[in-house]
Amino acid sequence: MHPFRKAVEAGDHAALESLLAEDVVFTSPVAFKPYPGKAITSAILRAVSTVFEDFTYVREIANPDGRDHAFFFTATVGGRTIQGCDVLHFDADGRIDDFLVMVRPLSAARALSEAMAPHFEQIARDATGG
């Protein structure tokens, strides 16, 4: 099993954070601008793990060179079933430097946005060490 998937499924935030490059860019399915940096990406991932229920990876696709992966998942958020994909790129050191999340349907993306909104003050504090 891929170390990323193993960390997510185990809820091992330390292992997940260790896989992130310092200059990782996180692109959210519900925010206009990407979030640059390990601190904010880690904080977002911790928060989203509290919002998703019944999270399960259902498929994984990898580029033969091992630097690009797509992890397809299902979950429930706000009573809505969500389908999504984590699209990851790994740098030369094996760290995630690009983390793109896509979700569907629109009603579930809205539910995700609403569920995450109360967490953004804490995310900002965690990302700045405050």
Side-chain angles (χ1 to χ4, degrees), residues 62-129:
N63 187 339
D65 70 6
R67 295 193 57 191
D68 293 288
H69 285 263
F71 298 88
F72 295 86
F73 63 85
T74 61
T76 304
V77 62
R80 301 274 185 187
T81 300
I82 193 166
Q83 294 174 311
C85 183
D86 295 331
V87 181
L88 310 179
H89 180 269
F90 293 81
D91 65 17
D93 295 323
R95 302 275 186 260
I96 300 166
D97 62 0
D98 189 48
F99 195 130
L100 167 71
V101 180
M102 296 185 290
V103 297
R104 68 162 308 280
L106 180 58
S107 60
R110 286 186 180 133
L112 175 60
S113 180
E114 291 168 8
M116 287 294 291
H119 296 272
F120 276 102
E121 281 187 34
Q122 184 64 47
I123 289 169
R125 281 193 300 273
D126 289 353
T128 60

Side-chain angles (χ1 to χ4, degrees), residues 28-94:
S28 164
V30 296
F32 179 72
K33 288 184 173 184
Y35 296 95
K38 184 174 182 173
I40 189 95
T41 299
S42 296
I44 291 168
L45 295 175
R46 281 192 301 275
V48 81
S49 72
T50 68
V51 168
F52 281 150
E53 300 171 25
D54 305 318
F55 183 91
T56 306
Y57 281 116
V58 295
R59 186 172 17 153
E60 178 181 339
I61 300 172
N63 187 339
D65 70 6
R67 295 193 57 191
D68 293 288
H69 285 263
F71 298 88
F72 295 86
F73 63 85
T74 61
T76 304
V77 62
R80 301 274 185 187
T81 300
I82 193 166
Q83 294 174 311
C85 183
D86 295 331
V87 181
L88 310 179
H89 180 269
F90 293 81
D91 65 17
D93 295 323

